[in-house]
Amino acid sequence: VSIAESLVGSFKSSYTRPLSIYALILDIINRIILFDSKIAFRTAQIRSRLSFSLADAMIVATAEELDAELWTCDRKLVNKYKKVRYLG
């Protein structure tokens, strides 16, 4: 989910930029996180409080659970959630 969501904004502006961002993401990712009931519960809290899409809430909840820095190319997400690094 996070890889797909990370690329949406870039695809709207060009085709070559998402390819470089995708390569960077794949180079950095070192594990896949299972979406468990604890993250699902936190996802629902985030959606109700911040009116995020399901995908954005899942990504934020997972980052919080792992105490990880969240990277995105989604400017709207940056405006709604401050604990994020904007890659756009």
Side-chain angles (χ1 to χ4, degrees):
V1 172
S2 60
I3 293 173
E5 284 293 301
S6 299
L7 299 173
V8 171
S10 295
F11 269 116
K12 290 180 180 179
S13 62
S14 83
Y15 186 75
T16 55
R17 183 161 169 78
L19 293 176
S20 62
I21 292 172
Y22 180 66
L24 174 67
I25 291 169
L26 291 181
D27 201 35
I28 295 170
I29 291 178
N30 60 4
R31 66 180 172 152
I32 303 296
I33 307 303
L34 296 177
F35 187 79
D36 62 15
S37 59
K38 185 176 180 182
I39 297 173
F41 186 86
R42 183 66 183 129
T43 297
Q45 289 176 318
I46 291 167
R47 285 198 73 203
S48 67
R49 188 187 59 179
L50 299 174
S51 300
F52 278 5
S53 68
L54 178 58
D56 286 345
M58 290 170 68
I59 292 166
V60 168
T62 303
E64 286 183 357
E65 175 65 23
L66 300 172
D67 195 28
E69 182 178 41
L70 177 57
W71 293 8
T72 187
C73 292
D74 184 346
R75 194 177 313 259
K76 292 177 191 172
L77 182 60
V78 173
N79 293 334
K80 288 183 177 181
Y81 186 74
K82 300 303 177 194
K83 299 177 186 174
V84 62
R85 177 184 289 187
Y86 182 62
L87 301 177

